[in-house]
Amino acid sequence: MPGFELFGDAERKEVNDVLDSGVLMRYGFDGMRNGHWKAKELEQAIQSRFDVKHAQLLSSGTAAVSLALAATGIGAGDEVIMPCFTFVASFEAILMLGAIPVVVDIDDTLSLDIHAVQAAITPKTKAIMSVHMCGSMADLDALKHICNTHKLFLIEDACQAIGGTYKGKALGTIGDLGCFSFDFVKTVTCGEGGVVITNKEKFYTRSDQYSDHGHDHHGTDRGAESHPALGYNFRISELNAAVGVAQFKRLDEFLALQKKHYTIIRNELSTIDGVTFRTVPDGGEESYAFLNFFLDDLETARKVSHAFKANGIDVCFHYYDNNWHYIRKWEHLTQQKSLYPLSLEVKQGLAYLKDKSFEKSDHYIGRNMSCLIKLSWTEEETLQRAKTMAALIREATV
Ligand SMILES: *Cc1c(COP(=O)(O)O)cnc(C)c1O
């Protein structure tokens, strides 16, 4: 997955364009910038690659998810349904707006369980946040149907699945708004960065203004612009955008490498009794950023995880015991450990988490191993790794 593995001359050249002019900001300074508009250039490249009308580049993926929600008008006391297996950014993005994360089970797609989503809908529900964890998606047709029936927004967090598709459409372009992260460990990196994409002009305009203190971006005099609504600063710098310009051009090269390495490992593990793979919904194609598989039970998964670590198989995660990606270890959320007082609405809204259990998700995440697919491996290395993994799994499962 990490694009940083292949950071090189192309990235350096784009950054040097910015250093040569000294204009590190994405807006204004037209005369000084030698015609370089890196953030705009990257936005246009994203629009055309994903066949989407609008892209707003931002300082992070977390900002993108929060801003996507804000653009739909979600705020104080509104409920947003999200999965219990994701990155902590999901609930951070919701809480930033004073809204309430309603955390629900996942299934063998490792994404939202459709029945759990349905059961969680209340009159306060405003949106469903579908997180395409580890390169693949939930049953998005079913989620769209639920959203249409209940008049909810569908927000796609595709931060870990750039390049994946569903029924021929790019992940991120299926819901009302989609988000990618370009942080340092994502398939395409800006160092730090993110983007929100949408076909709806209203959501784009709001995103554009909100991410820059409310600036309407009309005319060429920033000081004279008006501020139609309150905003914040989630701007990306030109230096970060420049890295992304070079990296994004290599997306198809990166995706091809991911698929090649993924396939080598998957073929090897497919020969083992007791290894099954995550379900990809009909019509979906993964981005191949990770290979996810299930073992028989929690104990076996823990054994395999330890054996991998002890034998140099890095970047394979057993998320059940991980602090950042699964509800079991999110006690800062469940115990409401905030630096500042949370609103009464949020406090009450989160109270359900104190005794909610996630048995269905425990069943899947407990047995899951999630292996990051690196770009820098050679074919030979990947095959050797696959054989070592297979041998360690066989040893642990006899
Ligand atoms: C990385 C990530 C984010 C947040 O992105 P940042 O750019 O690090 O803020 C959000 N959601 C998921 C699923 C991610 O993996």
Side-chain angles (χ1 to χ4, degrees), residues 60-62 65 86-87 89 131 133 157 159-160 181-183 186 193:
S60 74
T62 309
V65 179
T86 176
F87 182 49
V131 185
M133 277 300 277
D157 174 344
C159 290
Q160 294 194 10
S181 163
F182 300 128
D183 79 20
K186 296 305 201 285

Side-chain angles (χ1 to χ4, degrees), residues 17-183:
D17 285 347
V18 178
L19 293 176
D20 287 345
S21 77
V23 178
L24 311 184
M25 183 175 180
R26 67 158 302 174
Y27 298 112
F29 304 94
D30 301 29
M32 287 168 61
R33 55 197 311 140
N34 300 338
H36 293 301
W37 299 88
K38 299 301 182 187
K40 268 190 198 152
E41 190 181 340
L42 181 51
E43 285 167 351
Q44 276 157 12
I46 291 167
Q47 285 160 207
S48 72
R49 173 64 174 74
F50 295 123
D51 194 19
V52 67
K53 286 196 186 125
H54 307 286
Q56 178 69 37
L57 209 57
L58 300 157
S59 52
S60 74
T62 309
V65 179
S66 195
L67 193 140
L69 295 166
T72 67
I74 286 170
D78 293 336
E79 293 179 357
V80 178
I81 296 176
M82 59 165 272
C84 63
F85 172 54
T86 176
F87 182 49
V88 290
S90 299
F91 61 75
E92 292 167 358
I94 298 167
L95 289 171
M96 268 168 70
L97 304 172
I100 297 158
V102 175
V103 185
V104 306
D105 268 321
I106 52 112
D107 61 17
D108 61 357
T109 64
L110 300 179
S111 281
L112 285 172
D113 175 64
I114 302 303
H115 303 291
V117 169
Q118 267 161 337
I121 293 171
T122 75
K124 288 186 182 172
T125 309
K126 290 286 161 56
I128 299 174
M129 184 193 293
S130 190
V131 185
H132 310 319
M133 277 300 277
C134 309
S136 188
M137 77 264 6
D139 180 343
L140 291 174
D141 274 352
L143 290 180
K144 276 190 97 158
H145 181 72
I146 294 173
C147 286
N148 289 340
T149 308
H150 296 272
K151 300 212 169 6
L152 310 175
F153 295 107
L154 180 61
I155 309 293
E156 290 180 79
D157 174 344
C159 290
Q160 294 194 10
I162 192 166
T165 60
Y166 181 75
K167 305 206 168 163
K169 290 177 82 179
L171 292 179
T173 66
I174 292 152
D176 296 284
L177 298 109
C179 308
F180 298 119
S181 163
F182 300 128
D183 79 20

